[in-house]
Amino acid sequence: MPHSSAHPLDDPLADPFDIAAQAAADIARLSGIERHDIAVTLGSGWGEAAGLIGTTNAEFPATEVTGFSRPALEGHVGSLRSITTPRGRNVLVIGARTHFYEGHGARRVVHSVRTAAATGARIMVLTNGAGGIRHTWRPGQPVLISDHINLTGASPLEGATFIDLTDLYSLRLRDIAHSIDPSLQEGVYCQFRGPQYETPAEVNMAKLIGGHIVGMSTALEAIAAREAGMEVLGLSLITNLAAGIKATPLSHQEVIEAGKAAGPVISSLLARVIEAI
Ligand code: 8IG
């Protein structure tokens, strides 16, 4: 290590999968749980779900685990939690997301997903707070992600790694979610780089190319999850209608408020979906 503040994933000679394996060993040591079955990343609005999934084995700051960055944003919890469900499955709850807009590259963004895979998880549940394009959607509504459009211009895949993304957002897992809540709508998630929200023209572009949800996460993580052989479930909390879809401008406060109000409902939905998987 050349310098104490250097990040292990920033070394171009480092293998990100080796670092994920080290992180998984850290998690096994810190949690006392050798293998996890399911991993869940909690985005804005979804934080309360952890308390409903099962019994907590351990919770620790993500910064104690190799390769995890310091959280960029208040309200993003920054912890990892190992939970055992009533049916005996071990769930790794990731409350520490690195966003692409932080500017550290896709490797750091997907490290949590690669780590989850290295702990043994075969299912990756990705949640987020996002903007809705469909007029009939309301703030506080959860939506299943059916597919994505990656508008970041980046990829977590390195070299000539050709990965098929057909059925990336597993139909099997979406069917399970529908069995818990038949009223769940689906949509195509567009990942923008951010951190600025879209202009109305950009939202209109997203709509014209087939998007229904706009956000700043998830697509890069889903790609890495598929590369790692995981099955992916994506859930967006529509915290605001995307810019230009309604008359008033977006505020970060509005986003936080909608997330708070919807918290209990979507958290119980997520816990029930996880128990049914
Ligand atoms: I919460 O309207 C949330 N995250 N790109 N656009 C984008 N990301 C978001 C939005 C939004 N709302």
Side-chain angles (χ1 to χ4, degrees):
M1 191 82 59
H3 188 272
S4 64
S5 70
H7 194 285
L9 286 163
D10 291 343
D11 175 357
L13 296 177
D15 178 344
F17 296 96
D18 285 348
I19 296 168
Q22 286 173 41
D26 292 337
I27 290 169
R29 173 175 50 79
L30 291 162
S31 68
I33 302 292
E34 205 49 49
R35 288 180 68 80
H36 286 83
D37 305 300
I38 300 171
V40 189
T41 299
L42 297 180
S44 331
W46 297 88
E48 292 165 55
L52 304 176
I53 293 170
T55 309
T56 297
N57 304 305
E59 182 171 12
F60 38 91
T63 46
E64 288 182 23
V65 178
T66 303
F68 278 74
S69 314
R70 219 155 264 292
L73 195 65
E74 226 187 309
H76 286 228
V77 193
S79 77
L80 299 180
R81 190 157 161 176
S82 169
I83 297 177
T84 300
T85 68
R87 287 171 57 197
R89 258 108 41 94
N90 295 329
V91 180
L92 179 68
V93 177
I94 301 163
R97 184 176 244 147
T98 299
H99 286 89
F100 189 62
Y101 59 67
E102 292 170 49
H104 301 304
R107 263 193 186 191
R108 286 226 222 159
V109 170
V110 304
H111 177 60
S112 60
V113 168
R114 287 179 174 153
T115 296
T119 68
R122 308 318 311 152
I123 292 174
M124 186 75 229
V125 181
L126 298 168
T127 69
N128 59 58
I133 295 180
R134 287 201 159 145
H135 287 88
T136 54
W137 289 352
R138 293 291 170 261
Q141 182 172 349
V143 174
L144 277 173
I145 300 175
S146 58
D147 202 346
H148 79 222
I149 299 172
N150 172 12
L151 296 175
T152 65
S155 170
L157 309 180
E158 300 181 25
T161 309
F162 303 107
I163 302 286
D164 176 53
L165 299 182
T166 312
D167 192 36
L168 175 57
Y169 298 88
S170 159
L171 198 52
R172 187 185 82 82
L173 296 180
R174 280 188 275 150
D175 282 347
I176 290 171
H178 276 133
S179 74
I180 301 295
D181 180 358
S183 76
L184 270 177
Q185 305 255 306
E186 296 199 345
V188 173
Y189 182 95
C190 293
Q191 182 175 357
F192 283 82
R193 181 194 183 280
Q196 71 283 1
Y197 294 119
E198 297 72 34
T199 63
E202 287 164 345
V203 169
N204 195 42
M205 175 195 77
K207 182 179 172 178
L208 288 169
I209 63 177
H212 309 109
I213 308 162
V214 287
M216 305 179 195
S217 68
T218 302
L220 296 175
E221 296 161 34
I223 294 166
R226 168 52 59 90
E227 178 192 30
M230 302 167 99
E231 220 180 346
V232 177
L233 179 67
L235 282 160
S236 289
L237 169 66
I238 303 302
T239 55
N240 58 278
L241 295 186
I245 298 293
K246 73 177 176 66
T248 51
L250 301 188
S251 79
H252 186 62
Q253 196 52 34
E254 169 191 34
V255 166
I256 301 286
E257 294 299 328
K260 269 195 194 136
V265 178
I266 61 166
S267 296
S268 98
L269 169 70
L270 181 55
R272 290 170 67 204
V273 168
I274 286 169
E275 193 59 348
I277 282 173

